[in-house]
Amino acid sequence: MDIGIGLPGHAPWTDGRHLVEWARRAEARGFATVAVSDRLRWTTPEPLMTLAAAAGATDRVRLLTSVLLAPLRTNHVLFAKTVATLDHLAGPDRLRLGLAAGFREDDFTASGVDHADRGRAFAALLETLAEAAHDPGGLRPATPGGPPLLFGGTSRAALRRIATRGTGWLAGTATVDDLRAFTPGLRAAWTGAGRPGAPRVVVSAMYALGPHAASATARAIAPYYAFAGDEWVREGIAGTLTSPSRLAAAVTAFERAGCDELILTGNDPDPAQVDLLADALGR
C-alpha cells in the first residue's frame, strides 16, 4: 500500500510557502503522493494552483486533487487547458485528478452555480476533458490520454463515473468499515462495465503528531466541520491519528481491507509534521 501526504489546507495555515515546504519534505521522505483538498467558502487554497507550486518544488512525488469540486469549474474548456498546463509543469504521469460533485450548497451559491444541476454539469466537464486530451488544435496533456481520474462519492452516479471513466475510487475521510461496505459494489460495477483488473482504492485519514497534536486537531477540525454539527466534529477529532501506535494500527487495518493508497492529511500546518509522520512510519 502506498502512503501519501495531504496538505493541511483546511487547517489555520498563514504562509503558503509552508504548504510548498510540505511538498518538498514529502518527496524527500519518500511519500508517494502530495494531495490537496478543495472548498470554496473556506481558506482552503485553490487545488490546481497549489499543485502547480508543489510541482515546481519537486521532481518525482505524485500530485493529487483530493477532491476537486468539479461542477464549480463552469468554463470547461478553460479547465481542461488548466489541467493540461499543470500536467506539463509536473511532467508526464505525476498528476492525478480526484473529482467529486460536491455536497456543500454554500460553495455553489457563492459561485452562482445550480447545486441541483451539478450532475449534468459534471458529465459535460468530463466530456470536455476527454475531447481536449486528443484535440490536435489545443494544448494536449503531457500524460497520454490525460491525467488519470479518480472519483469521490458513494452514489450510483459516482459508481457509474468510476466504472466508465475512472481509474478508481477516492474515498475521502473514511473508516475501514466504510471501505468494506462500499468496495464489493465498486468491484461489481467495474467488472460489469467490462473493465480489466480492479479499480484503485484511495482513502484519506487525518493525523497530527507531537505534543500539540490534540490542540492542533481541535483548531483544524472544529471550525471546518462545524456546518455538520457537534457529532460530526466530535467524530472527526476522535478519529484523527495522534500517536505512532494509532498510525501503525490504521495503516495495517486499511491495507488488510484492500486500500491501495492511504493519504494522511495533516491538521497542524507546521512542515515538521511531515518528518514526524515519516519517523513514526519508520521512513
Side-chain angles (χ1 to χ4, degrees):
M1 182 177 70
D2 291 335
I3 306 243
I5 285 270
L7 302 184
H10 67 290
W13 61 275
T14 56
D15 189 335
R17 292 168 296 183
H18 289 171
L19 300 179
V20 176
E21 180 61 19
W22 270 71
R24 289 195 189 98
R25 294 194 189 197
E27 178 168 275
R29 296 304 297 263
F31 289 98
T33 299
V34 169
V36 61
S37 61
D38 191 16
R39 265 278 297 280
L40 184 62
R41 297 294 295 163
W42 196 252
T43 56
T44 311
E46 201 286 318
L48 298 181
M49 288 191 67
T50 304
L51 290 183
T58 58
D59 296 309
R60 300 175 306 279
V61 70
R62 293 194 301 255
L63 308 170
L64 173 68
T65 57
S66 176
V67 290
L68 187 142
L69 304 177
L72 297 185
R73 276 68 186 183
T74 55
N75 188 326
H76 299 164
V77 175
L78 178 59
F79 176 70
K81 185 162 188 176
T82 303
V83 168
T85 301
L86 176 54
D87 196 43
H88 278 277
L89 293 174
D93 302 315
R94 287 184 70 195
L95 176 64
R96 293 176 296 164
L97 291 180
L99 305 172
F103 70 96
R104 288 276 314 238
E105 289 195 35
D106 57 349
D107 287 335
F108 287 80
T109 300
S111 300
V113 176
D114 185 357
H115 182 258
D117 194 41
R118 66 193 187 281
R120 184 206 58 80
F122 198 172
L125 180 143
L126 293 175
E127 288 292 340
T128 301
L129 269 182
E131 292 167 2
H134 303 283
D135 180 5
L139 177 65
R140 288 185 283 183
T143 303
L149 305 180
L150 297 103
F151 294 104
T154 57
S155 66
R156 290 181 182 177
L159 271 174
R160 184 172 61 253
R161 290 184 197 108
I162 297 167
T164 59
R165 294 183 178 271
T167 59
W169 178 47
L170 193 53
T173 303
T175 66
V176 170
D177 288 341
D178 294 332
L179 203 65
R180 288 174 174 155
F182 185 73
T183 51
L186 170 64
R187 294 190 178 102
W190 185 270
T191 301
R195 301 289 299 275
R200 186 169 180 81
V201 175
V202 182
V203 179
S204 296
M206 295 285 193
Y207 90 93
L209 294 169
H212 307 296
S215 58
T217 296
R219 282 196 304 272
I221 288 182
Y224 189 67
Y225 287 128
F227 75 93
D230 292 342
E231 183 176 355
W232 196 329
V233 169
R234 286 193 298 270
E235 289 179 357
I237 291 173
T240 299
L241 307 171
T242 54
S243 70
S245 60
R246 289 189 67 189
L247 272 168
V251 167
T252 298
F254 277 115
E255 188 166 18
R256 288 176 176 171
C259 178
D260 296 302
E261 182 168 9
L262 178 61
I263 304 292
L264 295 167
T265 300
N267 281 309
D268 183 338
D270 186 349
Q273 286 288 311
V274 177
D275 297 307
L276 288 174
L277 179 60
D279 290 344
L281 295 173
R283 290 175 173 262

